[in-house]
């Protein structure tokens, strides 16, 4: 190999190394820890109580209580996150059922219900850095089950329904490092029913991993 060819080869190698290093350093400067990462999380959720009126004076009063869930998300950029969240709550409730026959007295039921929520959310983080406030909005569906069993002397059938839901929320996120994050958020969930709406406020504490 001639000296001229050796010099050209060395110059090309140096140029290639310099360009690669520049691109790597530029990525490190521009990318937040969550940039283009997947994440999974576990959550604890406190749900406030609510009540609703039904037909002929029937009503339901749902207590507050704790639930749990998990989430899966994709950080499209350092600002935008697309995610799925599942949550399960089993609050106590008291329902007053007024029969269609006026001669029959109202019936009161005290039991616990199951609420399964599936939400697909879009989250916007205001800052690129590891600590940032965010806004969240999503749609999905929620299954409600009164958990009643028909057994003598009662003849009530359990109430089950799956309904369209949507939610809005605000929160704070902390990326502890490139692998661990924590979140705290307030959300309001809106459930549309045939005879009215159920609105729940939730406070969620969440921890997870990015990869």
């Amino acid at each position: 190999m001639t000296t001229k060819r050796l010099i050209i080869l060395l110059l090309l190698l140096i140029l290639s190394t310099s360009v690669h290093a520049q691109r790597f350093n530029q990525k490190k400067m521009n990318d937040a820890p969550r940039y283009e990462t997947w994440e999974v999380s576990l959550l604890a959720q406190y749900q406030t109580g609510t009540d609703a009126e039904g037909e002929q004076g029937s009503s339901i009063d749902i207590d507050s209580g704790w639930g749990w869930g998990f989430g899966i998300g994709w950080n499209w950029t350092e600002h935008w996150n697309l995610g799925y969240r599942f949550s399960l709550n089993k609050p106590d409730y008291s329902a007053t059922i007024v029969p269609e026959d006026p001669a029959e007295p109202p019936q009161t039921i005290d039991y616990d219900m199951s609420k399964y929520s599936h939400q697909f959310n879009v989250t916007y983080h205001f800052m690129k850095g590891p600590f940032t406030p965010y806004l969240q909005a999503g749609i999905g569906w929620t299954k409600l089950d009164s958990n009643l069993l028909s057994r003598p002397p009662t003849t009530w059938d359990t109430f089950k329904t799956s309904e369209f839901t949507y939610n809005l929320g605000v929160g704070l996120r902390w990326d502890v490092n490139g692998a661990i994050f924590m979140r705290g958020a307030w959300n309001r969930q809106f459930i549309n029913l045939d005879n009215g709406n159920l609105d729940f406020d939730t406070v969620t504490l969440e921890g997870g991993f990015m990869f």
Side-chain angles (χ1 to χ4, degrees):
M1 182 179 292
T2 64
T3 303
K4 183 178 180 179
R5 289 181 179 179
L6 180 60
I7 292 174
I8 293 174
L9 182 61
L10 289 174
L11 288 175
L12 290 175
L13 180 62
I14 292 172
L15 179 61
S16 176
T17 304
S18 176
V19 170
H20 179 75
Q22 185 177 5
R23 291 180 63 187
F24 179 75
N25 290 332
Q26 191 71 21
K27 180 176 175 59
K28 287 184 65 177
M29 288 187 295
N30 291 340
D31 292 355
R34 58 184 172 272
Y35 181 77
E36 290 189 346
T37 59
W38 288 94
E39 60 185 37
V40 294
S41 61
L42 293 176
L43 60 93
Q45 185 180 81
Y46 181 79
Q47 177 179 278
T48 60
T50 188
D51 55 70
E53 298 289 335
E55 297 179 348
Q56 301 177 336
S58 296
S59 64
I60 185 170
D61 186 3
I62 302 174
D63 293 344
S64 58
W66 285 92
W68 67 275
F70 65 87
I72 303 172
W74 163 247
N75 290 295
W76 181 23
T77 69
E78 60 269 26
H79 291 294
W80 291 100
N81 176 283
L82 307 176
Y84 163 79
R85 174 180 289 178
F86 168 82
S87 62
L88 169 61
N89 298 83
K90 302 194 72 172
D92 295 331
Y93 70 92
S94 178
T96 300
I97 301 174
V98 179
E100 295 182 3
D101 187 352
E104 297 183 14
Q107 299 285 335
T108 300
I109 301 171
D110 294 303
Y111 214 64
D112 63 89
M113 68 184 300
S114 297
K115 174 176 170 282
Y116 308 87
S117 290
H118 306 265
Q119 297 291 302
F120 297 91
N121 297 320
V122 177
T123 303
Y124 179 76
H125 301 101
F126 286 94
M127 301 176 185
K128 289 184 177 182
F131 188 77
T132 175
Y134 65 83
L135 291 176
Q136 187 177 81
I139 60 174
W141 74 95
T142 295
K143 178 182 176 182
L144 301 174
D145 189 342
S146 66
N147 293 325
L148 287 178
L149 299 176
S150 294
R151 58 181 180 268
T154 64
T155 58
W156 301 113
D157 291 328
T158 187
F159 173 79
K160 293 182 181 180
T161 184
S162 293
E163 302 293 342
F164 171 79
T165 61
Y166 61 98
N167 76 90
L168 300 170
V170 295
L172 290 173
R173 175 179 176 131
W174 177 34
D175 295 323
V176 181
N177 51 42
I180 300 173
F181 71 92
M182 302 178 68
R183 274 195 295 247
W186 168 87
N187 286 75
R188 172 161 288 187
Q189 185 182 44
F190 305 88
I191 304 177
N192 295 325
L193 299 173
D194 293 337
N195 298 325
N197 298 322
L198 287 177
D199 300 339
F200 293 95
D201 290 331
T202 61
V203 176
T204 303
L205 302 176
E206 191 172 2
F209 297 93
M210 295 179 288
F211 55 93

